[in-house]
Amino acid sequence: MSKLEQILILEPANDLKFKGPFTDVVTANLKLKNPSDRKVCFKVKTTAPRRYCVRPNSGIIEPGATLTISVMLQPFDYDPNEKSKHKFMVQTIFAPATLTDTEALWKDAKPDELMDSKLRCVFELPSENDKVNDVDAAAKSAAVLNSSKVDGPLAQKPVSAALDDSERKKVLEECKRLQTEVSKLNEENRQLKDEGLRLRKFQRSEHATTNSSSLIGRESTASSLPSLLVVIAAIFIGFFLGKFIL
């Protein structure tokens, strides 16, 4: 069975052109159009995968839809005498009505179900005409910017003034809210100080009461000692007097 012809329409069809200088990333766009009435799965492959970044590099294109692929060439040292051998291939396959696993579809695909198109990479340096055009475009854009700077501030003054007023109101409201918070914190701090003073006074009074009670106990003990000695002395004296009389 002969191989199927590519169903997608590629733009460009044969060459992917990258315009230097190549000191920074250079991007070329590739458009894929699906003219059929069926969904088409696609993959973009290259012979130099480390030199390019492709987004998206795979997916599904709906019937009648067009998708733009960004091919980004990484910076490199360009040699005009060296011809580019880099190539890209767009591989496609019709998606089944009930597609659940794209990877399995590609894995189980038969060779006669696959379609592909190949493109060659072309590196170009900007010509002198391109440089002149770029300078003219830059000059025009600068002139437009300068004119907008002259006219812009006059037209934007009321808007900026309104924005300044609204910002000022927000700042004042925020200041009031912060002042209220500070007052609340000061009041709470004062209450905490008063509570601390009351606790200290209470602890001091408790300590004084404990000390006084201990002193009273010592005094009562000290005062009871002489009375006890007097009683003991009286008992001994009475005992000796009784023996003497007898």
Side-chain angles (χ1 to χ4, degrees), residues 191-220:
Q191 292 177 359
L192 289 173
K193 285 183 179 179
D194 294 342
E195 186 67 23
L197 291 173
R198 283 197 295 270
L199 287 173
R200 288 178 184 175
K201 289 180 180 179
F202 178 75
Q203 288 175 354
R204 287 176 182 174
S205 62
E206 286 289 324
H207 184 69
T209 303
T210 304
N211 290 337
S212 62
S213 60
S214 62
L215 287 172
I216 292 170
R218 288 176 186 174
E219 291 176 357
S220 61

Side-chain angles (χ1 to χ4, degrees), residues 25-38:
V25 176
V26 180
T27 303
N29 291 327
L30 173 63
K31 290 184 179 181
L32 306 180
K33 183 178 181 181
N34 180 11
S36 69
D37 56 355
R38 296 177 60 182

Side-chain angles (χ1 to χ4, degrees), residues 10-25:
L10 278 64
E11 183 184 347
N14 301 311
D15 297 335
L16 267 180
K17 295 183 179 181
F18 298 88
K19 288 189 176 183
F22 301 100
T23 55
D24 201 353
V25 176

